[in-house]
Amino acid sequence: MDRAVAVTGAGRGLGLSVVRRHVERGDRIYAYEVNITDDLRGCTREYEKLHICRCDISSTPGVEAAVADMLAKEEQIHFLYNIAGVFRFEDRCGLADTDIDAGMVMMQVNAVGLLRMCKAVIPKLGAGSVVVNVTSESGSIGDCYREVEYMYGMSKAAANMASMLLQNEVKKRGTRVICVHPGWLRTVMGGEGAAASPYSVSPDESAANIVKIAEEIDKLPENVYFIEHTGKPLPW
Ligand SMILES: NC(=O)c1ccc[n+]([C@@H]2O[C@H](COP(=O)([O-])OP(=O)(O)OC[C@H]3O[C@@H](n4cnc5c(N)ncnc54)[C@H](OP(=O)(O)O)[C@@H]3O)[C@@H](O)[C@H]2O)c1
């Protein structure tokens, strides 16, 4: 197989697990990360088709500079995984206690950062390309039950909208765009609760499910855009 794959948030958590799945498959991988980790560097030791690039998706010039090499080398990007994300634990509170200005980092990364990456890669999306935007059930308005985490939920709902607009734009070229809730992950973002809970999922298991969905995208009905990593559809 000769496929080009781009992953943001590749240094740890779910992003690192997705990188590892595509290393196993022998794909050319462009791994973007704001702080490059030893774990990510370790993946390159025996694998020369992994290109690691520092990229802060909250910066437009930063994204443009980071993807230039990939855009020059690749005719088509087959899989784009937008996984980078920020969650502020301080914002697990009601509106009166929410620091809106501090929370803007989540809009900047989770929503607008994802859009920056999509914009950078759009010239290379073609027939069979799949964009996987890892948003969250927190971005589902239909399923919303929380009374807290305003800015995170808003950022993920905005990312869902960006994804649907992009899907409408690139559908005619045969590109699919999906939003995926990865489950409650045993990662830094998942927090201590996830590590102890039987309802959480390891990043490796979630990544395996997400990569399978992307590789078998033709099995997902064309009118399904927002799903859990298990494949269960979610309401917008
Ligand atoms: N964890 C959960 O339970 C859960 C649930 C639903 C949805 N999600 C979503 O799933 C995705 C992955 O979550 P995770 O648990 O794997 O998170 P994580 O372990 O906290 O990793 C987040 C990654 O995003 C990177 N990142 C943060 N700001 C960035 C920026 N400005 N530019 C580029 N990269 C940036 C981080 O880099 P640094 O390490 O350098 O900061 C890190 O590699 C996120 O989008 C998250 O919102 C997670």
Side-chain angles (χ1 to χ4, degrees):
M1 255 184 285
D2 183 32
R3 312 187 297 190
V5 179
V7 184
T8 70
R12 61 183 164 96
L14 182 67
L16 180 63
S17 293
V18 167
V19 167
R20 287 179 170 145
R21 294 291 79 72
H22 280 282
V23 166
E24 286 165 8
R25 285 157 169 75
D27 296 318
R28 281 188 309 289
I29 307 161
Y30 297 84
Y32 298 103
E33 184 50 275
V34 66
N35 295 305
I36 294 166
T37 60
D38 288 344
D39 284 339
L40 182 57
R41 272 197 207 93
C43 297
T44 60
R45 248 170 238 139
E46 291 162 18
Y47 192 72
E48 61 189 21
K49 291 198 281 178
L50 172 61
H51 309 274
I52 299 177
C53 189
R54 194 175 301 282
C55 177
D56 178 353
I57 64 166
S58 64
S59 153
T60 299
V63 168
E64 287 170 356
V67 299
D69 178 53
M70 176 179 73
L71 299 184
K73 284 183 179 148
E74 301 295 341
E75 293 272 304
Q76 180 175 356
I77 304 303
H78 299 88
F79 298 101
L80 166 61
Y81 295 92
N82 280 302
I83 298 179
V86 176
F87 174 77
R88 275 173 40 91
F89 287 89
E90 305 90 308
D91 289 346
R92 198 164 265 170
C93 57
L95 185 55
D97 295 318
T98 296
D99 185 337
I100 292 174
D101 293 335
M104 281 303 289
V105 66
M106 293 184 280
M107 296 299 284
Q108 189 53 261
V109 173
N110 301 349
V112 187
L114 171 147
L115 190 63
R116 283 189 186 93
M117 276 305 292
C118 291
K119 181 178 175 183
V121 173
I122 202 171
K124 301 290 179 176
L125 298 176
S129 295
V130 183
V131 177
V132 177
N133 287 336
V134 174
T135 63
S136 172
E137 53 79 29
S138 303
S140 168
I141 294 172
D143 257 3
C144 183
Y145 61 89
R146 291 181 179 81
E147 301 174 12
V148 297
E149 300 172 10
Y150 278 76
M151 298 296 279
Y152 184 73
M154 286 168 64
S155 73
K156 293 297 189 177
N160 282 348
M161 176 54 97
S163 307
M164 196 63 227
L165 290 164
L166 179 66
Q167 177 62 98
N168 291 342
E169 187 177 352
V170 297
K171 194 172 186 173
K172 46 191 158 311
R173 6 174 148 165
T175 297
R176 294 282 297 270
V177 182
I178 55 168
C179 299
V180 181
H181 170 59
W184 186 19
L185 296 168
R186 292 179 212 130
T187 58
V188 174
M189 192 183 294
E192 287 175 11
S197 171
Y199 302 109
S200 63
V201 61
S202 75
D204 282 348
E205 185 183 339
S206 180
N209 289 339
I210 291 170
V211 169
K212 190 165 189 287
I213 289 166
E215 288 182 323
E216 297 179 359
I217 194 72
D218 290 340
K219 291 186 181 169
L220 189 71
E222 282 197 18
N223 60 350
V224 176
Y225 305 104
F226 186 21
I227 55 175
E228 293 187 0
H229 69 104
T230 55
K232 182 182 156 206
L234 287 166
W236 290 124

